[in-house]
Amino acid sequence: MERAVFLDRDGTINVDVDYLHETDKLEFIDKTFEALALLKAHGYRLIVISNQSGIGRGYFPAQDVERLHAYMNHILQEHDAAIDAFYYCPHLAEDGCACRKPQPGLIYHAAAEWDIDLPGSYMVGDNEKDVMTAVNAGCGYGLVLSGHTVSDALREKYRDHLYQNLWDFARHICGMEVE
Ligand SMILES: [Mg+2]
Ligand SMILES: [Zn+2]
């Protein structure tokens, strides 16, 4: 079986702008290329797990999200940091689907498609929802401070799983000393 790092997208890989769907608004967070390349070099599959309710709200079509992901990977490939697969939930919270984080549906789906060992894998994101998704799926996890504001209470609650950004997280799980 394979191991994976399941990645939140907005606030973790790229700067979080509300309902990102245009390629010209894509901005990678500092050291994202290095982080993804390091994880890949250590044998982790890189799988994005993202809530994209802007689709369900009718703000933009799924094709815009697909195009953005293709564009992201076009850039990431040049840094040996390509994402293996993107999974997203297009629904609204009130739809009650099984795939919107913190539901683990997308992780289960990805794990089946990629033959992934969940206890040997991680989910990393900037929101408590990402942590809850990992817990619900039985993965390890990391909470990064590069996006969504993390309250003092949450910092305390997850103090052993807190990272400045994806690079900090990647170096930690790959066993490298963090600067
Ligand atoms: Mg996020
Ligand atoms: Zn869904």
Side-chain angles (χ1 to χ4, degrees):
M1 291 184 94
E2 305 222 43
R3 292 180 306 163
V5 173
F6 298 106
L7 300 131
D8 170 53
R9 197 190 75 183
D10 303 324
T12 303
I13 292 174
N14 55 273
V15 175
D16 193 356
V17 300
D18 271 352
Y19 297 111
L20 174 68
H21 64 286
E22 309 101 318
T23 54
D24 63 346
K25 290 195 181 155
L26 172 66
E27 185 187 340
F28 288 100
I29 290 168
D30 193 35
K31 297 278 239 178
T32 289
F33 300 156
E34 290 88 340
L36 294 176
L38 179 64
L39 292 169
K40 215 174 179 61
H42 278 252
Y44 288 98
R45 288 287 184 187
L46 304 179
I47 298 180
V48 166
I49 301 288
S50 182
N51 285 352
Q52 295 300 326
S53 66
I55 299 168
R57 291 174 204 279
Y59 293 171
F60 47 83
Q63 292 92 309
D64 283 11
V65 173
E66 304 279 352
R67 194 181 54 217
L68 176 73
H69 292 167
Y71 177 73
M72 285 177 87
N73 248 357
H74 175 74
I75 296 169
L76 292 173
Q77 266 157 18
E78 295 168 12
H79 299 270
D80 298 317
I83 300 296
D84 290 295
F86 292 87
Y87 293 84
Y88 58 88
C89 164
H91 307 114
L92 311 186
E94 55 266 38
D95 292 340
C97 69
C99 55
R100 182 177 164 84
K101 295 181 289 186
Q103 298 297 320
L106 290 181
I107 288 188
Y108 288 160
H109 187 189
E113 289 195 343
W114 291 84
D115 192 29
I116 291 182
D117 171 47
L118 291 176
S121 298
Y122 297 87
M123 167 98 209
V124 58
D126 67 324
N127 197 297
E128 190 179 25
K129 241 187 286 192
D130 299 308
V131 171
M132 289 162 60
T133 309
V135 170
N136 289 336
C139 301
Y141 59 87
L143 180 64
V144 290
L145 300 172
S146 51
H148 196 264
T149 305
V150 179
S151 68
D152 289 344
L154 284 183
R155 284 173 196 243
E156 178 58 23
K157 184 174 176 186
Y158 297 117
R159 64 179 182 276
D160 296 333
H161 301 268
L162 215 53
Y163 302 94
Q164 285 306 311
N165 50 32
L166 190 59
W167 174 234
D168 186 12
F169 168 82
R171 296 185 77 186
H172 179 82
I173 75 159
C174 293
M176 292 169 70
E177 194 127 311
V178 177
E179 283 163 3

